[in-house]
Amino acid sequence: AQKITQTQPGMFVQEKEAVTLDCTYDTSDPSYGLFWYKQPSSGEMIFLIYQGSYDQQNATEGRYSLNFQKARKSANLVISASQLGDSAMYFCAMRKTSGSARQLTFGSGTQLTVLP
Amino acid sequence: GAGVSQSPRYKVAKRGQDVALRCDPISGHVSLFWYQQALGQGPEFLTYFQNEAQLDKSGLPSDRFFAERPEGSVSTLKIQRTQQEDSAVYLCASSLNDGLANYGYTFGSGTRLTVV
């Protein structure tokens, strides 16, 4: 079974500063993918970034980067130059990349508040 | 359409009432997922379709929950004899291919179900 742990229920960051959201995972599968989603108050889950378990380099997408440490089973999200619009709930998720299972397993989320 | 559309946006049901939640995925998307998100929690997988075939329904919490996608496009999640513990946001997501893409799934804004 797969499990995602997000230990920070809430985080605050000053506008224009960087923030790291923690995510650890547990799986016995050798091949998997890790995702981060943003959920604003409107409710829609917005895909941010993906990291494959065999990817050699950490993923980056604009202001988002994923600090992937495979041996520690961690996949922290780094948001640089925070903006007020970044205030939202952030979810870490994982999925097998082999076999028939296609669903994402989500963590409990971190509520990020960006302060002006 | 441009995104995944879910209706109704909000639903209040009396305990024991049957409800039907609709999901219109992005046109041409092969994979469709239903998730249940309790207040303050991450989404939990309910069921997965590839075209009209329901390939995984392991997350459905009881036989009161039923999902269908008869023509491989629109999907309906039906909950019979609703109970208070069914109160949650029900999210639908779709993916262009078989669900193994590294760009994540496109989620709808969800249906918030409140059972009173």
Side-chain angles (χ1 to χ4, degrees), chain A residues 27-41:
Chain A
T27 182
S28 57
D29 298 302
S31 178
Y32 52 89
L34 295 156
F35 300 77
W36 277 91
Y37 281 84
K38 171 184 178 181
Q39 188 177 43
S41 56

Side-chain angles (χ1 to χ4, degrees), chain A residues 35 37 39 41-47 49-51 89 91 95-109, chain B residues 9 31 33 35 37 40-45 48 50 56 58 89 91 98-110:
Chain A
F35 300 77
Y37 281 84
Q39 188 177 43
S41 56
S42 60
E44 187 174 345
M45 301 283 282
I46 301 167
F47 167 70
I49 196 166
Y50 169 85
Q51 179 84 44
M89 197 75 166
F91 290 97
R95 181 193 65 202
K96 293 180 182 180
T97 53
S98 61
S100 59
R102 296 288 183 271
Q103 67 268 28
L104 294 168
T105 299
F106 287 86
S108 55
Chain B
R9 188 76 173 90
S31 297
F33 301 82
Y35 287 84
Q37 186 176 20
Q41 300 296 316
E44 293 195 357
F45 169 75
Y48 161 62
Q50 195 171 112
D56 190 341
S58 61
V89 174
L91 293 166
D98 64 356
L100 286 180
N102 63 1
Y103 50 78
Y105 308 144
T106 304
F107 281 81
S109 296

Side-chain angles (χ1 to χ4, degrees), chain B residues 11-12 18-19 22 26 28 35 39-40 45 51 54-55 59-60 67 70 72-73 79 86 89 92 113-114 116:
Chain B
K11 176 69 178 178
V12 178
D18 296 349
V19 298
R22 178 187 171 103
I26 294 174
Y35 287 84
L39 188 64
F45 169 75
N51 295 308
Q54 189 174 22
L55 299 187
L60 295 176
S73 55
I79 309 173
D86 300 335
V89 174
C92 177
L113 173 65
T114 303
V116 297

